Amino acid sequence: MKLFYMPGACSLAPHIVLEWIGKPYEVGRIERGKTREPEFLAINPAGKVPALIEDDGDILTEAEAILLYLADKFPEVNLGASSTPKARYEMHKWMSYLTGDVHPAFYPYFLPQRYIEDKAQFHAIREAAYKQIDFHFQLLNDYMGDRTYMVEDRRTVLDPYLFVFCRWGNSLPKPFTDYPNLHRFMMQMAEDAAVQRVMQEQKISL
C-alpha cells in the first residue's frame, strides 16, 4: 500500500491508522498547492489527499471511505465498529459529522479565496466560518465529556480523524483549552507512539 498525504491535512488520519495496523506501507508526500498538478491528478482526478494505492493497483480516495476500508480490511486490529447495528450506526454517524460538517467548516476560514475574490471580505468570511467551527467544537466537547475515545470505549478509526480537527483548532484565535475535553483528547492522542512517528514523518507538531 502507498498513502499520498499532505502534511497536517486530513490524510493524517489514515496515516496514523496505517501505523496502528502495523503492516508494511509506503508514503508519498504532496506539498501544499501541488495536488492539482498533472502527476497527482493522474492518481486522484479530484486533486485531493488522501489517496491510497492498494497492492493490486486500485486507488482509494476520500478520508472517511479509506478509514472505514482499513478498519474492514484489518479486522484483527479492532479499529472498526462492533458487529451490532447500533455500533455501526454510531461509527457512521460520527464519521458523517466529521466529514460533512466539521471538515467543511474550516474551508472558508483557511481558504476564503475559494469563495470570493475581494480580499476586503476575507475577514468577514473567516469570522462567519469561525462561528461554525466553534459551534462544532462545543458540540464535540460536550459529547466527549470524560470519554477517552469517541466510541465503544476503545480506539477506532474515528479517533485520528477527530485528532486532525483538534490540531487545526489548536491554531485558531480561541485557546483550545476552552474546549477542555477535546484538549485532553488531543494531548492523549499526541502521546501515542504511532501518532508521534507519523507527526515526525510529516514534520508537523501540535
Side-chain angles (χ1 to χ4, degrees):
M1 294 182 290
K2 183 172 184 177
L3 176 73
F4 288 88
Y5 74 88
M6 180 188 299
C10 65
S11 48
L12 175 63
H15 198 169
I16 292 170
V17 168
L18 286 170
E19 277 293 309
W20 281 350
I21 290 169
K23 302 291 185 181
Y25 71 94
E26 301 176 59
V27 292
R29 180 185 177 103
I30 307 297
E31 299 298 337
R32 194 166 302 279
K34 303 294 186 180
T35 57
R36 300 299 176 92
E37 294 194 351
E39 293 81 3
F40 187 69
L41 289 176
I43 297 169
N44 183 7
K48 298 190 301 181
V49 292
L52 181 69
I53 302 182
E54 268 285 25
D55 295 336
D56 61 5
D58 282 351
I59 299 174
L60 286 65
T61 61
E62 302 297 331
E64 176 182 355
I66 291 173
L67 290 169
L68 293 171
Y69 171 81
L70 290 172
D72 285 343
K73 183 175 180 179
F74 300 99
E76 68 277 11
V77 190
N78 199 28
L79 295 175
S82 298
S83 59
T84 67
K86 182 62 179 297
R88 291 196 298 274
Y89 160 76
E90 287 293 324
M91 173 70 71
H92 287 278
K93 177 184 76 172
W94 289 112
M95 275 291 185
S96 296
Y97 184 68
L98 294 176
T99 298
D101 293 275
V102 180
H103 195 176
F106 280 92
Y107 293 155
Y109 185 86
F110 288 140
L111 298 167
Q113 65 272 21
R114 282 187 177 181
Y115 304 90
I116 193 168
E117 294 183 0
D118 184 1
K119 292 183 179 180
Q121 300 298 318
F122 285 4
H123 179 73
I125 291 175
R126 287 192 173 104
E127 285 287 306
Y130 183 64
K131 290 179 182 178
Q132 290 299 310
I133 295 168
D134 180 58
F135 172 82
H136 295 311
F137 278 158
Q138 293 285 2
L139 185 151
L140 287 164
N141 186 72
D142 292 344
Y143 167 74
M144 288 301 290
D146 60 358
R147 288 180 171 87
T148 302
Y149 307 103
M150 282 202 77
V151 295
E152 298 198 45
D153 199 29
R154 61 179 172 83
R155 72 183 188 182
T156 69
V157 292
L158 279 169
D159 298 308
Y161 205 20
L162 177 59
F163 178 66
V164 168
F165 304 120
C166 290
R167 278 194 69 256
W168 294 0
N170 201 35
S171 66
L172 297 176
K174 186 175 184 178
F176 203 65
T177 50
D178 283 7
Y179 313 105
N181 302 325
L182 288 179
H183 182 263
R184 172 182 50 78
F185 167 83
M186 179 179 69
M187 299 308 294
Q188 165 199 304
M189 285 288 293
E191 292 174 359
D192 184 279
V195 174
Q196 291 177 358
R197 288 194 298 271
V198 170
M199 293 178 70
Q200 184 176 16
E201 165 73 31
Q202 296 198 9
K203 296 180 172 60
I204 58 175
S205 63
L206 290 180

